[in-house]
Amino acid sequence: MNIGIVGAGKIVKEALPVLEQVSDVVFQSIVTTGRNPQNVNELQKQFNIKEVYENYTQFLEDEDLEVVYIAVPNHLHYYYAQQAIEHGKHVICEKPFTLTKVELETLKELAEAKQVIITEAITNLYLGNYDVLKHTLQEIGDIKLAQFNYSQYSSRYDNFKQDIIQPAFNPEMGGGALMDINVYNVHLAVGLFGKPKGVAYFANVEKNIDTSGILQLDYDNLKVVCIGAKDSSSDNHSYIQGDQATIHIEGPTNELQSFEVNHIGGGTQLYQLNQFEHRMHEEFVKIIKMIQDKDDVLAKRQLEHSIAVVEVLESALDSANITIGPSKS
């Protein structure tokens, strides 16, 4: 499939070597705002990208372009996805898909009208360990508690403290710990347990943005805590506690490196079933196959999941009185 890249930042530089290994992927083009042409030209040479554009409309008018991969700051996701769909392109968008539920539902309606597939690039949902983890929940009895922790000190936080505000900490650009890092925990919780009945976010707020926080999700008899931090770090362990066994997840929740089931009566089983070394590889393999096969059933299921997640994120920010996105004044 002929893929066009929107963006040239850190995530693109990590994704391109992975996408390069996926069968049937051809780098058709990359579009830039022109702010760093040398960066884009280096990517073009390194990954044999056919075309470089500085105009997004011209980029989308390329008839050979089939799929648009969007990896720009969060507040731009909706606009770039909407324009791509209007031009009849399939869309793979980095997390969070959009900043609001209304935006994502609008994209869904437009994609249905244009008969294209749109999906969120969220690594943990496509990992082999995720499928097995979800099935293994049946073995631990009545689930009582879950705690997911993904905390990673950000080098951008040092700049933030010096009033150098980059997108990851910029409220107008949809930044913050919840949207940037805790979002992986939310995807995991909603994927495993469904949409919660109650949401409350307790955040450390600096300069009008959350730098870390604890998100509480209420599922009646199950209570879930999602911890995400960019202002501090952790060795990142997560737990799901049932009345018959406990699941211990090793590492950050965007990788699901491995997990073990510890039975209360004794006995431990370790699972390591991810197919590839890099966390993005399995994600891109399965998404490209979904688009190639025109698997509308899977695409719809994944999109409904993303809509449920963005609804949780909106409720969380509202509960903490945090406003993100472009100023409406």
Side-chain angles (χ1 to χ4, degrees):
M1 300 205 77
N2 294 337
I3 290 184
I5 312 298
V6 184
K10 181 179 177 181
I11 193 67
V12 168
K13 291 174 182 176
E14 187 174 9
L16 287 179
V18 179
L19 274 165
E20 191 176 39
Q21 300 175 52
V22 178
S23 299
D24 301 324
V25 166
V26 175
F27 295 135
Q28 177 67 22
S29 55
I30 186 168
V31 62
T32 172
T33 60
R35 287 179 296 180
N36 194 344
Q38 183 179 352
N39 187 27
V40 173
N41 289 335
E42 288 174 359
L43 290 175
Q44 182 185 26
K45 293 176 183 177
Q46 183 179 355
F47 296 101
N48 193 30
I49 301 172
K50 293 181 180 180
E51 302 285 345
V52 173
Y53 293 92
E54 292 187 5
N55 181 281
Y56 190 49
T57 300
Q58 291 177 356
F59 166 87
L60 292 174
E61 288 175 348
D62 181 350
E63 294 183 358
D64 292 327
L65 177 62
E66 298 174 274
V67 181
V68 174
Y69 170 59
I70 298 172
V72 292
N74 297 343
H75 70 300
L76 299 175
H77 289 181
Y78 173 76
Y79 169 77
Y80 280 99
Q82 183 261 336
Q83 291 295 307
I85 298 166
E86 287 280 11
H87 282 79
K89 312 300 183 183
H90 304 292
V91 170
I92 303 170
C93 185
E94 277 298 331
K95 57 76 187 170
F97 207 142
T98 58
L99 299 185
T100 70
K101 180 182 178 182
V102 169
E103 287 179 340
L104 191 47
E105 288 181 332
T106 300
L107 293 182
K108 174 189 173 183
E109 293 177 5
L110 184 58
E112 289 173 350
K114 293 290 184 176
Q115 297 184 318
V116 296
I117 285 175
I118 64 172
T119 196
E120 185 174 12
I122 186 74
T123 52
N124 49 19
L125 294 186
Y126 294 94
L127 294 169
N129 279 338
Y130 170 79
D131 293 331
V132 180
L133 175 62
K134 192 166 185 176
H135 179 75
T136 304
L137 293 179
Q138 304 171 25
E139 301 178 15
I140 69 172
D142 290 334
I143 304 172
K144 303 296 185 178
L145 299 171
Q147 51 182 310
F148 302 120
N149 188 353
Y150 185 11
S151 298
Q152 185 177 67
Y153 189 88
S154 172
S155 60
R156 298 182 181 94
Y157 183 59
D158 293 331
N159 290 334
F160 176 76
K161 289 187 290 184
Q162 299 299 320
D163 289 325
I164 302 170
I165 311 299
Q166 295 166 282
F169 287 99
N170 189 331
E172 291 195 0
M173 299 176 78
L178 179 68
M179 304 299 275
D180 189 65
I181 198 166
N182 211 348
V183 63
Y184 290 107
N185 296 327
V186 178
H187 271 282
L188 186 57
V190 172
L192 295 177
F193 310 126
K195 191 165 67 172
K197 295 185 176 181
V199 176
Y201 187 42
F202 302 92
N204 290 315
V205 178
E206 302 177 42
K207 301 172 187 175
N208 300 316
I209 197 66
D210 56 316
T211 59
S212 60
I214 296 173
L215 176 64
Q216 295 183 355
L217 305 178
D218 183 13
Y219 291 88
D220 286 338
N221 295 328
L222 164 64
K223 310 302 178 188
V224 178
V225 172
C226 298
I227 302 170
K230 295 176 69 64
D231 57 7
S232 55
S233 191
S234 170
D235 54 2
N236 293 318
H237 293 269
S238 299
Y239 298 90
I240 304 172
Q241 300 170 213
D243 60 5
Q244 296 181 27
T246 295
I247 296 173
H248 169 211
I249 301 169
E250 180 76 24
T253 51
N254 68 333
E255 297 183 14
L256 295 182
Q257 299 163 356
S258 66
F259 71 93
E260 63 180 19
V261 181
N262 300 302
H263 293 274
I264 291 176
T268 298
Q269 188 165 1
L270 177 67
Y271 295 89
Q272 292 175 311
L273 295 167
N274 293 343
Q275 294 183 28
F276 302 97
E277 182 176 353
H278 197 284
R279 70 186 189 282
M280 288 182 171
H281 200 149
E282 199 162 355
E283 166 191 37
F284 284 131
V285 166
K286 291 179 178 178
I287 288 176
I288 293 300
K289 185 177 188 303
M290 177 176 68
I291 295 172
Q292 286 178 321
D293 294 348
K294 298 179 180 178
D295 190 344
D296 293 327
V297 174
L298 176 58
K300 181 178 180 180
R301 184 167 73 239
Q302 298 297 76
L303 188 55
E304 290 299 330
H305 168 90
S306 292
I307 291 171
V309 166
V310 76
E311 186 174 352
V312 171
L313 296 173
E314 273 196 288
S315 296
L317 292 170
D318 285 345
S319 76
N321 294 314
I322 297 171
T323 300
I324 62 170
S327 174
K328 295 181 172 58
S329 60

